[in-house]
Amino acid sequence: MSIAVFPGSFDPLTNGHLNIITRASYLFEKVVVGVGNNTSKSALFTPAEKQALITEAVRDLPNVEVAIMSGLTVQFMAEIGAKYIVRGLRNGKDFEYERDIAGVNSALADVETVLLLAKPENQNISSSMVKEIGSMGAENMAKFVPPVVVAALKERLNAQKE
């Protein structure tokens, strides 16, 4: 069975992430969204909250699962029998970063990285940007994140203001 992992911090899940997950689900028999923790950023949602939000967003994709992971991506992949890493590319800067990470992952384990180009409407979206515009009171967040995330994002950001 071809199993791919789409790792990330997903804080929060964006429409760009969801598009990559959907497209990967057509390419692989099973896709596992690996929710990790980016220690260089302060998280808005807990790993369990992110897992629940992503699970709801992908509920119509039967071959997609969501799991919390810790440690190296290649260690998580070995645990679940995955051989492929899926990553999305928005621009040249992403390419250079992902190329370097793919090289390291390949040196650590027998894995292949598959890079999917972001759709034009998602090329300027990042989780950090979504959090920033949401915290500034942007109303139409559905352009950037799935509906389940819109609600959670508004609730969390409003709670932080209080």
Side-chain angles (χ1 to χ4, degrees), residues 43-111:
L44 188 60
F45 296 101
T46 68
E49 290 170 328
K50 291 185 272 189
Q51 181 182 30
L53 291 169
I54 299 167
T55 298
E56 176 61 23
V58 302
R59 73 178 183 280
D60 294 333
L61 301 172
N63 63 331
V64 176
E65 296 176 9
V66 185
I68 296 171
M69 62 179 216
S70 60
L72 295 173
T73 299
V74 293
Q75 292 169 326
F76 177 71
M77 292 174 70
E79 291 171 16
I80 64 170
K83 293 290 181 189
Y84 304 95
I85 300 171
V86 173
R87 299 294 293 158
L89 295 179
R90 295 171 297 176
N91 53 43
K93 185 178 173 184
D94 280 358
F95 172 75
E96 290 182 9
Y97 175 78
E98 295 299 343
R99 178 198 59 210
D100 294 347
I101 296 296
V104 170
N105 286 331
S106 180
L108 291 171
D110 182 25
V111 300

Side-chain angles (χ1 to χ4, degrees), residues 3-162:
I3 303 172
V5 170
F6 182 40
S9 57
F10 307 107
D11 192 50
L13 177 77
T14 68
N15 288 337
H17 293 132
L18 186 55
N19 179 263
I20 297 295
I21 294 166
T22 301
R23 290 165 48 208
S25 76
Y26 303 141
L27 299 173
F28 300 97
E29 292 173 88
K30 181 178 176 182
V31 176
V32 179
V33 179
V35 178
N37 185 31
N38 187 336
T39 55
S40 66
K41 297 180 182 176
S42 100
L44 188 60
F45 296 101
T46 68
E49 290 170 328
K50 291 185 272 189
Q51 181 182 30
L53 291 169
I54 299 167
T55 298
E56 176 61 23
V58 302
R59 73 178 183 280
D60 294 333
L61 301 172
N63 63 331
V64 176
E65 296 176 9
V66 185
I68 296 171
M69 62 179 216
S70 60
L72 295 173
T73 299
V74 293
Q75 292 169 326
F76 177 71
M77 292 174 70
E79 291 171 16
I80 64 170
K83 293 290 181 189
Y84 304 95
I85 300 171
V86 173
R87 299 294 293 158
L89 295 179
R90 295 171 297 176
N91 53 43
K93 185 178 173 184
D94 280 358
F95 172 75
E96 290 182 9
Y97 175 78
E98 295 299 343
R99 178 198 59 210
D100 294 347
I101 296 296
V104 170
N105 286 331
S106 180
L108 291 171
D110 182 25
V111 300
E112 190 68 42
T113 299
V114 177
L115 303 173
L116 298 177
L117 300 178
K119 295 290 184 186
E121 61 270 22
N122 297 323
Q123 288 177 348
N124 297 315
I125 301 171
S126 71
S127 293
S128 298
M129 187 178 298
V130 166
K131 286 188 283 193
E132 184 172 340
I133 62 175
S135 70
M136 298 293 184
E139 290 298 317
N140 192 1
M141 297 299 290
K143 291 180 179 181
F144 308 113
V145 297
V148 65
V149 177
V150 170
L153 194 55
K154 285 183 178 180
E155 181 180 316
R156 183 60 46 91
L157 292 173
N158 286 336
Q160 284 185 340
K161 289 179 185 177
E162 296 173 0

